[in-house]
């Protein structure tokens, strides 16, 4: 079985043909903001897919199309309110692609596609209850219960990046509220932690010689690996926030594992001990010492396409 | 279709025959701690059920047995670690009753049975995504997603009474942690709020003339209805805690409604405006102004039996 997978990102749109073993048969991409209108964008995308299908001689074997995109709703099949994209909402993706290609189309936001991708092809293979946390520009999540992605009453289940961690109103979130998980564990959250720690202490650190606009989670990670105490502390604070959040989330869905993906999750190796310690210190005894913390095993460059394709296989297997 | 429903409580055990329209055909009860051993207890219960079945001439029509009990696990079918009950754990209820009566047996904790009961017969009829909160001696919960009760990896999904609301470590919970929802919204939680408010202010109130051991949520409710400002404030603080918790829980399962049951929820009419206001002030915009807050519509005396019987009908309809 094969699927067409589409990943619509703020910068790049990638599409490809993926089989049900997770093999990417072909893929291509273009800049999302290249085309001047949504119409032109869709034309370019459909055209690219048609060419790819005819070259791969695969048209007859395509079971469906999976699309991962910001603010894409699994229930309505629409993109609604994605500030990362230059077009007005809603965009009825499911309808547009079903009309064009005559196969089932499944739409989900990036984090939910990632959760299904991880279950089909990655670290969550064989795990029927887990929570996926994508720690990138923002923090997304997908909750899988009994082998199925929670969608909720209107497709908005699993916005764990916007669960508030504290009542101290320390960090304002772009959602208008305070102290969301995202404010601590996204790329910008970890940079804010870095700035605070640098300001509040005078411990020497190579970080002090780096201009603020050149700071990145990757750079801090590299310094932490080299033993820079400040960088280590920055990731420790981040890991504490994640561990505390996981302790709280466990009481919802009693997961077997948390799976982490994204830029900040690339520091999983140095965060894991503190994440686990803080989670166990804060967790209800029922869940103690049995929840796995796992890093995604999908190649970062392919994960979005694999997630989008997994949406198709998961939905068809229901 | 009929079921045998059993509600095992710390004080009373109730059992009955319930049909699938929610009619209780017959019911009986005895004191849980009356029999001297678990063996004697089970003997009494089985015997009572057998007599009831033969009197109702219903034995051939029984589709299954539903049992609601503290710490009863939907997945294992066992009671495990119920401090309210006088017997050692685990108690393999499902196995015991399946062997005895030769029909399917479904076991769940009280709050989860209540959630299913509410969906089949009560306020959540026709609602496929909701969160049930039972505000009684403790705070229990049942999360229903897409028409099904979340059970989680090991049957412990939905322990929302033990999600921490604050990082201020103000109230110690019997789970060993701090500031769980249960510490604010259970019967004892509201009494603690009452004591604090009485201590911190000197506003006149009839509550000041009542001995501490005679304080109850019902008494405070009655005084609030009569306009006692301190009693009104006590329920306002309680409602704020619930509203804030609901705002947080929404990000998990995107529910259409929260449904409230139990002693403290009997004050729903006076808590509802503050619950709603606080929930809306704290909720992520995606969920704003669309989640219903509902009071259980089941008769309190029958709710546990209806919940236990609904477990059977819900499971058989899967």
């Amino acid at each position: 079985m094969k699927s067409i997978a589409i990943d619509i990102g703020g910068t790049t749109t990638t599409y490809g043909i993926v089989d049900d073993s997770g093999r990417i048969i072909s893929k291509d991409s273009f800049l999302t903001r290249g085309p001047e209108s949504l119409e032109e964008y869709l034309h370019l995308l459909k055209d690219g897919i048609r060419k790819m299908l005819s070259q791969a001689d695969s048209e007859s074997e395509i079971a469906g199309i999976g699309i991962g995109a910001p603010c894409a709703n699994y229930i309505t099949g629409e993109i609604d309110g994605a500030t990362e994209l230059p077009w007005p909402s809603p965009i009825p993706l499911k309808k547009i692609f079903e009309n064009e290609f005559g196969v089932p189309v499944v739409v989900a936001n990036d984090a939910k596609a990632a959760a299904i991708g991880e279950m089909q092809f990655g670290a969550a293979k064989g795990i029927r209850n887990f929570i996926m946390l994508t720690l990138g520009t923002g923090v997304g999540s997908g909750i899988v219960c009994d082998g199925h992605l929670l969608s909720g009453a209107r497709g908005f289940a699993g916005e764990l990046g916007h669960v508030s961690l504290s009542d101290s109103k320390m960090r304002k979130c772009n959602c208008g509220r305070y102290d969301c998980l995202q404010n601590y564990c996204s790329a910008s959250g970890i940079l804010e932690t870095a700035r605070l720690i640098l300001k509040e202490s005078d411990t020497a650190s190579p970080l002090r010689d780096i201009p603020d606009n050149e700071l990145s989670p990757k750079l801090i990670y590299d310094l932490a690996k080299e033993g820079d105490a400040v960088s280590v502390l920055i990731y420790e604070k981040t890991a504490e926030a994640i561990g505390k959040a996981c302790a709280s989330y466990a009481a919802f869905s009693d997961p077997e594992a948390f799976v982490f993906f994204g830029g900040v999750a690339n520091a999983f190796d140095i965060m894991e001990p503190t994440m686990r310690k803080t989670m166990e210190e804060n967790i209800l005894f029922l869940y103690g010492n049995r929840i796995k913390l796992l890093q995604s095993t999908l190649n970062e460059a392919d994960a979005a396409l694999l997630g989008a394709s997994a949406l198709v296989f998961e939905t068809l297997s229901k």
Side-chain angles (χ1 to χ4, degrees), chain A residues 102-183:
Chain A
V103 293
V105 174
V106 190
V107 169
N109 83 25
D110 336 38
K112 291 178 179 54
I116 298 296
E118 214 63 55
M119 184 166 62
Q120 292 235 345
F121 308 123
K125 219 168 174 170
I127 300 183
R128 292 180 59 80
N129 290 278
F130 70 97
I131 295 178
M132 177 93 200
L133 289 168
T134 59
L135 314 176
T137 313
V139 170
S141 66
I143 304 169
V144 172
C145 292
D146 224 6
H148 296 292
L149 188 67
L150 284 199
S151 53
R154 295 172 309 108
F156 294 124
E159 287 292 343
L160 302 185
H162 290 288
V163 171
S164 181
L165 293 184
S166 149
D167 47 8
S168 316
K169 295 204 173 186
M170 289 183 293
R171 297 192 189 181
K172 175 108 183 175
C173 186
N174 62 8
C175 73
R177 295 146 69 244
Y178 287 88
D179 297 321
C180 293
L181 178 63
Q182 175 161 312
N183 303 128

Side-chain angles (χ1 to χ4, degrees), chain A residues 206-235:
Chain A
L207 282 176
R208 297 192 186 277
D209 304 325
I210 295 163
D212 188 79
N213 62 0
E214 288 176 23
L215 270 183
S216 73
K218 169 82 171 73
L219 193 148
I220 301 170
Y221 172 74
D222 290 340
L223 288 172
K225 291 291 272 189
E226 289 166 17
D228 172 48
V230 172
S231 299
V232 167
L233 183 61
I234 292 165
Y235 269 105

Side-chain angles (χ1 to χ4, degrees), chain A residues 234-252:
Chain A
I234 292 165
Y235 269 105
E236 251 173 42
K237 289 286 169 200
T238 306
E240 277 174 14
I242 300 172
K244 202 176 156 198
C246 289
S248 176
Y249 303 163
F252 275 86

Side-chain angles (χ1 to χ4, degrees), chain A residues 90-103:
Chain A
I91 307 165
L93 281 183
K94 181 177 162 70
K95 206 166 130 190
I96 291 168
F97 282 85
E98 279 182 350
N99 286 348
E100 183 75 21
F101 292 95
V103 293

